Amino acid sequence: MEPLLEVKSKTLGTGVPASLRAYPEQVEVRTVHSPRDVDVQTVRYDEISKVEIMWGMSFAELKVKTRGLLS
């Protein structure tokens, strides 16, 4: 399925490429540490409690915070 929105990071800030993809039911964050080591985290919209944009002089940081669900 094609994402509704995709935001890619530049490797200049952290050195680690990452992307955020928004789908109709969830958000996916993909971080590439190496070709064999790709971390993929998905969060449903009802689990998101807050989205923050932290502006810097040259770069911005997007933080997606989740509700702490206890099992």
Side-chain angles (χ1 to χ4, degrees), residues 3-45:
L4 301 173
L5 170 75
E6 182 172 10
V7 179
K8 294 183 179 181
S9 72
K10 300 287 184 183
T11 59
L12 183 61
T14 62
V16 179
S19 66
L20 180 138
R21 295 177 181 166
Y23 294 96
E25 296 182 8
Q26 66 188 16
V27 173
E28 175 185 280
V29 177
R30 182 178 299 256
T31 307
V32 180
H33 300 285
S34 73
R36 292 184 182 184
D37 184 15
V38 179
D39 181 33
V40 179
Q41 298 176 333
T42 59
V43 179
R44 292 188 328 262
Y45 290 116

Side-chain angles (χ1 to χ4, degrees), residues 49-65:
S49 64
K50 190 177 197 180
V51 177
E52 296 178 338
I53 300 175
M54 307 296 291
W55 294 98
M57 293 295 288
S58 302
F59 302 99
E61 181 178 356
L62 178 66
K63 294 183 179 182
V64 178
K65 297 186 177 187

